[in-house]
Amino acid sequence: MAATTVTPAVPRPAAAGPAGADSVAVPLALPLPVLHSTVLGWYEANARDLPWRTPEATPWAVMVSEFMLQQTPVKRVLPAWAAWLERWPTPADLAAEAPGEAVRMWGRLGYPRRALRLHAAAVAITEEHGGGVPDDHATLLSLPGVGEYTAAAVASFAFRQRHVVLDTNVRRVFARAVTGVEYPAQATTAAERRTATALLPADAETAATWAVAVMELGALVCTARGPECGDCPLFTACVWQRAGCPPYEGPARRGQSYEGTDRQVRGKLLAVLRAEHGTVEQARLDAVWPDPVQRARALDGLVADGLVEPVEQGVYRLPQ
DNA sequence: CAAGCGTGGTC
DNA sequence: TGACCAAGCTT
């Protein structure tokens, strides 16, 4: 079958060259409609049964899931998400509480600044947007803790709109299937965005399902390590596969050291504060880490971030 | 824009 | 076992 050339949905300015000169050649050996039906069919048969994907899931429930899923695996999010929504079924419910309660409820999901930002987003929704999660991308993007990905995800998944949803899974699927490399670059490029735009179904409802379907393919089959190419619906079309699965070439991908870092100390300090419902004396915090310099730096950082509130000299608590 | 930000699991 | 990974955001 001949390779299909896909023209971007949003053409570049004419000044960039003759018409079509800047079109994105997508050497996927599949016509676009076949690509769509292949991935959508795979999704229908293989999608996980996740609670935030059910018709009963409110936009707020979808938004909470997106915050929690930022860098945290689905398995750990599932129970936390259910407990969160049980306690705070609407943005107003969360906004009515102290930010420290959000931090406490966040538990051990990691990156607790997300809890603070989710609380701040709930306050903004309640005070500035009539209590309902905004349905347009730009307004979503203006909320604390909502970046390009999360705004597109909420608009797409909760409101069934047509958006390019580029997360780490989608980027990896396109890197392999379309570009023919094992891993995408560290930062999202304009070329990636053009490719994703070119492949997005025209119909909004279809595009919304397409977005979650490609993500799911990346999460379940086209994984970072040990992809199950034998189970992949794009096996025969995949450019990386056709090239013989060449290994990643490029700069070493950044590792996340943790042992001995300020992050580890912050985690230990905050764990003490989370477990204590009142105030905490300095001595209890001093017990979590031997180095007083690093300990002080970590605590200062938590205070600067608003995750910890100094009450008086040597006494701290979660923010009220 | 590269670096910083938690926590747990995997190979 | 240490490096890498997990639906990113902010500065």
Side-chain angles (χ1 to χ4, degrees):
Chain A
M1 182 187 300
T4 301
T5 297
V6 178
T7 303
V10 181
R12 306 291 295 281
D22 276 33
S23 66
V24 179
V26 177
L28 253 182
L30 281 180
L32 212 43
V34 178
L35 173 66
H36 292 157
S37 61
T38 299
V39 173
L40 293 171
W42 173 87
Y43 179 72
E44 192 174 342
N46 297 280
R48 286 168 293 180
D49 199 11
L50 300 177
W52 45 83
R53 289 182 185 159
T54 66
E56 297 78 50
T58 63
W60 170 241
V62 171
M63 186 169 152
V64 171
S65 79
E66 291 302 335
F67 268 74
M68 291 185 168
L69 288 164
Q70 292 168 2
Q71 301 284 280
T72 301
V74 167
K75 179 175 181 173
R76 288 174 50 210
V77 165
L78 282 166
W81 178 85
W84 190 280
L85 287 163
E86 169 115 6
R87 180 168 176 185
W88 298 309
T90 72
D93 295 322
L94 175 57
E97 297 233 24
E101 283 308 297
V103 173
R104 192 193 315 284
M105 195 69 179
W106 198 253
R108 305 188 66 79
L109 284 179
Y111 291 148
R113 292 193 290 200
R114 290 181 292 168
L116 225 40
R117 290 170 183 156
L118 183 52
H119 180 273
V123 170
I125 289 169
T126 303
E127 295 181 353
E128 300 166 29
H129 303 290
V133 173
D135 65 359
D136 74 289
H137 182 95
T139 309
L140 285 164
L141 198 52
S142 74
L143 296 173
V146 176
E148 179 59 42
Y149 161 77
T150 302
V154 172
S156 180
F157 304 156
F159 298 109
R160 313 305 298 174
Q161 295 171 14
R162 182 177 182 275
H163 292 280
V164 169
V165 181
L166 264 188
D167 79 323
T168 187
N169 291 302
V170 175
R171 295 185 63 218
R172 189 174 52 248
V173 170
F174 290 163
R176 291 175 183 165
V178 178
T179 311
V181 297
E182 187 176 15
Y183 297 112
Q186 291 208 190
T188 305
T189 65
E192 280 182 277
R193 189 152 287 281
R194 261 180 270 131
T195 296
T197 302
L199 298 179
L200 195 61
D203 169 66
E205 173 62 32
T206 309
T209 305
W210 164 259
V212 71
V214 178
M215 281 178 65
E216 191 76 338
L217 186 59
L220 298 184
V221 175
C222 193
T223 50
R225 282 179 300 183
E228 314 255 11
C229 298
D231 295 335
C232 185
L234 298 179
F235 179 77
T236 58
C238 177
V239 176
W240 184 58
Q241 185 64 232
R242 289 172 158 241
C245 303
Y248 173 79
E249 293 178 37
R253 307 163 67 228
R254 59 146 178 17
Q256 312 167 322
S257 55
Y258 183 64
E259 240 353 87
T261 62
D262 287 5
R263 277 153 87 170
Q264 185 181 21
V265 185
R266 286 166 58 109
K268 287 179 178 295
L269 290 171
L270 205 55
V272 174
L273 274 295
R274 274 199 313 262
E276 181 56 59
H277 278 258
T279 58
V280 171
E281 302 285 327
Q282 183 79 50
R284 302 215 13 231
L285 299 176
D286 289 349
V288 308
W289 198 256
D291 177 0
V293 174
Q294 188 177 22
R295 210 172 54 219
R297 187 172 63 227
L299 186 53
D300 284 350
L302 288 170
V303 172
D305 285 347
L307 284 161
V308 173
E309 196 169 84
V311 181
E312 56 187 273
Q313 186 64 24
V315 181
Y316 300 89
R317 67 183 174 200
L318 293 181
Q320 297 296 296

